[in-house]
Amino acid sequence: MISLEGALARLLAAVPAPPALETVPLEAGAGRVLASPVRAPADVPAFADSAMDGYAVRSDEVVPGALLPVHQRIAAGTAPEPLQRGTAARIFTGAPLPEGADAVLMQEDCEAAGEAVRPGRTPAAGENIRPRGEDIAAGSELFAAGRRLRPQDIGLLASVGCGELVVYRPLTVAVLATGDELVPAGQAPLAPGQRYNSNGPMLAALLARLGFAVQPPVLVADCAEATRAALAEAAAGADLVLSTGGVSVGEEDHVRAQVSALGELDLWKVAVKPGKPFAFGRVGDTPFLGLPGNPTSVFVTFCLLARPFLLAAQGARVEPPVALWVRADFAVARPLSRADYRRVWLRSGNDGATRAELFPRQGSGVLSSVCAADALARVPAGQTLAAGDPVQVLLLDSLLG
């Protein structure tokens, strides 16, 4: 068996060239991968402004209790006049600071008195002022190439006036689910021995969440001819082919032989539980990833192996998943030959420490375990674990986005 780290290194070493570029409007950029860096054309904010509703003043002219005439009112979006000596300016949040002012007194620290204001205290220079360029300096790099854009990134790009983005075209992924026993969800009643296809819809949803264009999942019968035809058709119409089941060594596992016949296959037994059988190769010139058949194994191997490869193929920078160390609320008495990724809840104890609490059913077919869990707790191969020992957990949310 090959370690998870070894399998991932081999996958990332075989990532194809990224797809073609396209230019999209900013509002269509969420989830897309930048193909070139973006630099700020201007400072943000573009001028010093007020962080509060209050009064713009020269701090050295403020004497608590002494009246200051108010000679102008400055709202956001207006251009102020310079601040006259011995006066204050009524100012509102986000409004530009008038020339000559060096502080803003909050209105709560003042008393309005007709056309004047009575300060309650002397402010410090710079108080309640957001200086020009406080957030972003002109010319600074906002995002590097390979960034998968999040909603907050879109907001930041909008703040510097960016209206278009150069991104990679979304890769199209074909999803195949193999097995004579599988029927589409919604078809009822089930015949004896049948089960609903959960892997196809789950993978399609995982891929869509990552920004890929996903073809409708296809059910493939357990026979060589049907498997070969489905693989060939998928490879002809997609940038990547992702299948579940059929990559083991059983008599009804046809994917392995048919991928080899149409291209080449590097079949691994990855030292990970759940999800030992994992295949990588190509159908013709189209990359192929073969996941196990059990739903939880599909989910885990997708998150740990398929996801990084797919994102790298999309042109995205691949970052390690968010990993935390918490206390185990369970024990592992017998060491395993594979790294075990257990589905856990994260709970905070009375002592403030976070603990990983084991979901009670850990079978590779128990899909409810990944629905209920907050994280995957990694028990390394060859190690035991006592309750209270530190254990590394991977947050599921970081593996899905």
Side-chain angles (χ1 to χ4, degrees):
M1 286 191 291
I2 185 174
S3 69
L4 176 72
E5 295 75 16
L8 185 56
R10 287 167 64 176
L11 279 170
L12 295 179
V15 169
L21 309 186
E22 60 185 22
T23 301
V24 299
L26 177 66
E27 56 268 23
R32 303 297 295 273
V33 177
L34 282 176
S36 59
V38 179
R39 293 189 175 275
D43 293 327
V44 177
F47 47 82
D49 67 13
S50 177
M52 296 287 178
D53 292 343
Y55 296 86
V57 296
R58 288 182 169 89
S59 58
D60 61 1
E61 294 181 346
V62 176
V63 177
L67 289 175
L68 283 172
V70 177
H71 278 182
Q72 64 175 310
R73 181 180 185 276
I74 310 170
T78 62
E81 300 174 0
L83 185 68
Q84 298 178 22
R85 286 281 179 185
T87 71
R90 180 71 165 121
I91 196 167
F92 298 91
T93 303
L97 195 71
E99 180 184 341
D102 69 352
V104 172
L105 262 174
M106 289 193 303
Q107 62 188 22
E108 292 88 346
D109 292 332
C110 303
E111 178 186 346
E115 298 298 317
V117 63
R118 193 185 309 277
R121 64 181 186 83
T122 300
E127 186 171 325
N128 296 322
I129 292 174
R130 295 183 293 216
R132 175 174 178 164
E134 178 188 47
D135 188 10
I136 300 167
S140 61
E141 183 176 276
L142 299 178
F143 302 117
R147 172 89 170 197
R148 286 184 64 236
L149 295 172
R150 303 170 298 171
Q152 58 266 46
D153 300 336
I154 300 300
L156 188 69
L157 291 166
S159 77
V160 300
C162 179
E164 291 184 333
L165 302 168
V166 179
V167 295
Y168 291 111
R169 173 185 62 81
L171 291 173
T172 300
V173 183
V175 178
L176 308 180
T178 66
D180 286 338
E181 76 280 11
L182 300 178
V183 297
Q187 179 176 315
L190 290 175
Q194 290 184 330
R195 64 183 68 211
Y196 291 119
N197 171 32
S198 60
N199 289 336
M202 178 172 66
L203 286 173
L206 286 166
L207 290 162
R209 183 163 175 162
L210 293 175
F212 295 100
V214 190
Q215 294 182 349
V218 174
L219 293 178
V220 183
D222 281 328
C223 76
E225 294 78 10
T227 302
R228 183 165 184 157
L231 286 167
E233 183 177 353
D239 299 299
L240 294 145
V241 178
L242 188 62
S243 79
T244 66
V247 294
S248 192
V249 294
E251 293 179 2
E252 297 300 323
D253 293 325
H254 299 285
V255 172
R256 178 181 186 179
Q258 297 310 314
V259 171
S260 297
L262 294 169
E264 64 178 9
L265 184 65
D266 192 353
L267 183 69
W268 305 324
K269 292 182 179 179
V270 183
V272 59
K273 179 183 179 184
K276 180 171 65 174
F278 181 88
F280 172 69
R282 58 179 177 81
V283 179
D285 293 325
T286 304
F288 166 83
L289 295 171
L291 309 184
N294 284 318
T296 302
S297 299
V298 168
F299 182 87
V300 171
T301 52
F302 178 90
C303 290
L304 300 180
L305 289 167
R307 175 184 177 274
F309 175 84
L310 289 162
L311 288 176
Q314 182 63 69
R317 291 196 320 274
V318 179
E319 306 289 348
V322 177
L324 305 175
W325 287 91
V326 301
R327 295 182 186 177
D329 204 25
F330 59 93
V332 178
R334 187 182 65 181
L336 297 176
S337 60
R338 296 179 281 164
D340 191 0
Y341 287 82
R342 301 195 172 193
R343 280 72 70 203
V344 295
W345 294 295
L346 298 181
R347 300 286 187 262
S348 181
N350 293 332
D351 57 0
T354 301
R355 290 175 168 78
E357 180 182 328
L358 202 65
F359 187 81
R361 297 178 301 282
Q362 291 287 314
S364 60
V366 182
L367 192 54
S368 58
S369 66
V370 295
C371 296
D374 302 309
L376 301 176
R378 182 179 184 270
V379 182
Q383 293 190 17
T384 59
L385 196 68
D389 283 352
V391 65
Q392 187 184 59
V393 297
L394 306 179
L395 301 180
L396 284 184
D397 281 350
S398 74
L399 296 170
L400 302 179

